Amino acid sequence: PMVSLSGPRIEQETLDAEALALSQAERDDARRDLYGVNQDGEHERKSKDDMLAQFDREIALIPEEEKPAYLLATENVPGHVHSRDEKMKFLTAENFDPKAAARRMV
């Protein structure tokens, strides 16, 4: 018997029909899950600098006893912990919610 290692083939018409069957909210949820953005580009309207500043404030509000690993990392690899790119990874993972991103980081 022949074994296929490729995934199933789905016709574009089938994909289109399934997409049309979704509500707008379901399509927005899927887009947010895939790309980390809202349909209306909500996070793009906010300044990245503002989000990063709020992220830093949220981390500062977390009591030291709740972030021992974070504090150790700031001592050992401060350039990594405090890098803009690293912070943006956490913000992206939490759909640009600074409080949730800060909690994730610590």
Side-chain angles (χ1 to χ4, degrees), residues 3 5 20-22 35 42 47 50 57 65 69 72 75-76 80 85 93-95 105:
V3 176
L5 299 178
L20 288 173
L22 295 174
Y35 305 112
E42 176 183 339
S47 160
D50 290 343
R57 285 190 293 273
E65 60 271 7
L72 183 62
E75 291 175 17
N76 293 316
H80 181 71
D85 288 343
E94 291 296 340
N95 200 28
M105 182 177 237

Side-chain angles (χ1 to χ4, degrees), residues 30-95:
R31 186 174 289 107
R32 186 172 37 258
D33 288 346
L34 287 171
Y35 305 112
V37 297
N38 291 335
Q39 173 67 22
D40 62 2
E42 176 183 339
H43 80 275
E44 294 173 1
R45 287 196 307 266
K46 296 179 182 177
S47 160
K48 286 184 181 179
D49 291 337
D50 290 343
M51 283 188 288
L52 290 165
Q54 182 61 37
F55 177 82
D56 289 337
R57 285 190 293 273
E58 293 295 341
I59 286 180
L61 291 173
I62 298 171
E64 288 189 9
E65 60 271 7
E66 294 180 24
K67 54 184 177 185
Y70 171 81
L71 295 172
L72 183 62
T74 59
E75 291 175 17
N76 293 316
V77 285
H80 181 71
V81 174
H82 297 299
S83 79
R84 180 183 179 95
D85 288 343
E86 194 64 22
K87 292 175 184 181
M88 287 304 296
K89 289 176 188 176
F90 283 89
L91 283 163
T92 301
E94 291 296 340
N95 200 28

